[in-house]
Amino acid sequence: MSPYLLGLRLSGRRVLVVGGGRVAQRRVPALLEAGALVTIVSTSVTHALDDLIASGRVTWEARPYQVGDVDGAWLVQACTDDRAVNTAIAAEAEAKRIWCVRADDRDASAAWTPASGRVGEIGVAISAGGDPRRAAGIRDAVVEALRDGTVEARRNRTKPVGVALVGGGPGDPGLITVRGRQLLAQADVVIADRLAPQGLLDELSPDVELIDAAKIPYGRYMAQERINELIVEHAKQGKFVVRLKGGDPFVFGRGGEEMLACAREGIPVTVVPGITSPVAVPAAAGVPVTHRGVSQEFHVISVHVPPGDPASTVDWPNLARSAGTLILMMAVERIAVIAETLIYEGRSPETPVMVVQDGTLPTQRALYATLSTVAERVTAAGIRPPAIVIVGDVVKVGQEVEMVRAERIP
């Protein structure tokens, strides 16, 4: 007969676990997450269970199972490695009409523990005829589908409200956070930047309104004020709005301005941080922004205005004197004056430089240079935005890694 699936609300209710081995170690955390009052009866326990006991979250009776242990329990887990003991526990629980799960014999067990998972407020429990491996495989597939939006998640009674400022990461659609992808799958309106992962937009449901808020360098441009208006306008209509950005909303993403615009209108805002390109793109190109003995600091600089411009707030003399790594954003069109300024203010002309275009995407390419040659090489290679410029000796670390790898290739 097929089991009758039921969700038990165990908060404040006693659950008995007999046995302190690996099976108990897997099951106790889930019971605690459900709020159960867990008692373990076992002569010994694993290190992980011992840690839970030491923290006071679990009661441990360090002895063998005794008749009467199941009294007062709402649920019993028989997890010993002794079949006779598990049989005795199950028999006592059956006589006292207490549900018991046997870890050693699914056919003799009154109840089965499903393979479970959670994505946000959605709980998934899979029973596969008592086959735990098969159930776990199906559970993993369902959970992954919920996370990436493959399974429809928009039509529910507890749909998010207001606005979500979601960082989409540096470009590769697989680098958006799980939370960001969940909220994107539930959106009514998506207002997307040019640098937002474009592959994710293709996955949106046909009834989602997609608004292009691209800011193309020296080209088509949607003013930030208009973007703020659109966010507020749609949210006030009761729609759930996702503002999808490249990188992180608060790293040169003007997310603070959008959050303030919503706050002034009383619109709730959820912020989902994203993997920021100043760190991710160098990493994708094999360059660590810090490295022991090389650089203990890194500086992220927006060069939307060049050195010497009255609107610039960047302290170029201090940056030039620093031994730290410089990560320059929006710098390709101004690379010549940047290099000249850094050299003039004290950086060696031989300082290594790497320029990475389309970081994390299939079209990614990297260019090595020095401060004295980078402007000429960028022009010759036809490097265009989006690109990240890395200045500092950490570039040599990336080159060293490539050399070591090349030497190991037969």
Side-chain angles (χ1 to χ4, degrees), residues 116-186:
S116 60
R118 181 163 291 278
V119 180
E121 73 283 358
I122 301 173
V124 175
I126 303 294
S127 175
D131 184 339
R133 291 188 178 181
R134 184 183 181 200
I138 297 171
R139 181 270 319 275
D140 292 344
V142 173
V143 167
E144 180 62 26
L146 284 169
R147 283 177 175 166
D148 65 20
T150 303
V151 171
E152 178 62 65
R154 296 181 61 229
R155 292 175 176 83
N156 59 76
R157 291 182 294 177
T158 57
K159 189 184 73 172
V161 297
V163 174
L165 303 180
V166 175
D172 181 344
L175 294 178
I176 190 174
T177 64
V178 171
R179 181 61 172 156
R181 197 150 194 171
Q182 290 170 359
L183 293 178
L184 189 62
Q186 299 179 71

Side-chain angles (χ1 to χ4, degrees), residues 38-105:
V38 177
T39 297
I40 296 177
V41 173
S42 180
T43 55
S44 63
V45 296
T46 66
H47 292 305
L49 289 173
D50 194 33
D51 186 54
L52 293 174
I53 292 163
S55 68
R57 299 183 65 193
V58 174
T59 300
W60 179 30
E61 297 187 15
R63 57 171 177 79
Y65 162 77
Q66 298 173 358
V67 174
D69 281 342
V70 304
D71 291 346
W74 291 74
L75 177 66
V76 175
Q77 296 268 357
C79 303
T80 79
D81 55 7
D82 188 322
R83 182 176 179 82
V85 172
N86 288 341
T87 299
I89 296 166
E92 183 186 1
E94 183 76 14
K96 295 177 178 178
R97 298 186 177 183
I98 301 170
W99 289 107
C100 178
V101 179
R102 286 188 62 164
D104 63 333
D105 191 337

Side-chain angles (χ1 to χ4, degrees), residues 124-368:
V124 175
I126 303 294
S127 175
D131 184 339
R133 291 188 178 181
R134 184 183 181 200
I138 297 171
R139 181 270 319 275
D140 292 344
V142 173
V143 167
E144 180 62 26
L146 284 169
R147 283 177 175 166
D148 65 20
T150 303
V151 171
E152 178 62 65
R154 296 181 61 229
R155 292 175 176 83
N156 59 76
R157 291 182 294 177
T158 57
K159 189 184 73 172
V161 297
V163 174
L165 303 180
V166 175
D172 181 344
L175 294 178
I176 190 174
T177 64
V178 171
R179 181 61 172 156
R181 197 150 194 171
Q182 290 170 359
L183 293 178
L184 189 62
Q186 299 179 71
D188 297 311
V189 178
V190 175
I191 302 176
D193 274 356
R194 178 179 66 95
L195 298 180
Q198 299 301 302
L200 295 176
L201 302 180
D202 292 338
E203 299 174 2
L204 295 175
S205 177
D207 61 337
V208 175
E209 182 176 355
L210 177 60
I211 298 174
D212 181 4
K215 296 178 180 178
I216 300 174
Y218 312 107
R220 186 164 53 85
Y221 183 94
M222 179 179 284
Q224 185 62 47
E225 292 73 16
R226 180 54 183 157
I227 295 173
N228 295 349
E229 291 172 0
L230 288 169
I231 293 171
V232 169
E233 175 185 321
H234 286 285
K236 280 190 168 183
Q237 294 172 6
K239 299 175 182 178
F240 177 50
V241 180
V242 169
R243 175 71 171 107
L244 183 63
K245 299 171 172 288
D248 182 275
F250 291 167
V251 179
F252 304 125
R254 305 186 74 168
E257 297 174 44
E258 294 164 354
M259 187 166 62
L260 281 169
C262 292
R264 293 188 183 106
E265 299 294 333
I267 297 169
V269 175
T270 300
V271 178
V272 182
I275 299 174
T276 185
S277 58
V279 176
V281 168
V287 175
V289 295
T290 62
H291 190 75
R292 184 166 61 91
V294 177
S295 176
Q296 299 178 21
E297 59 184 304
F298 67 94
H299 307 265
V300 180
I301 304 104
S302 168
V303 200
H304 64 283
V305 292
D309 191 292
S312 175
T313 61
V314 178
D315 189 343
W316 289 102
N318 270 336
L319 288 176
R321 290 191 293 270
S322 166
T325 306
L326 306 184
I327 311 295
L328 308 176
M329 303 177 67
M330 296 173 274
V332 169
E333 299 291 338
R334 293 172 267 282
I335 191 63
V337 66
I338 293 168
E340 291 171 4
T341 300
L342 289 173
I343 293 171
Y344 176 80
E345 297 292 352
R347 279 263 178 162
S348 168
E350 300 307 309
T351 301
V353 179
M354 175 187 268
V355 183
V356 185
Q357 178 180 320
D358 293 341
T360 77
L361 295 174
T363 52
Q364 173 180 310
R365 61 172 176 153
L367 175 151
Y368 290 100

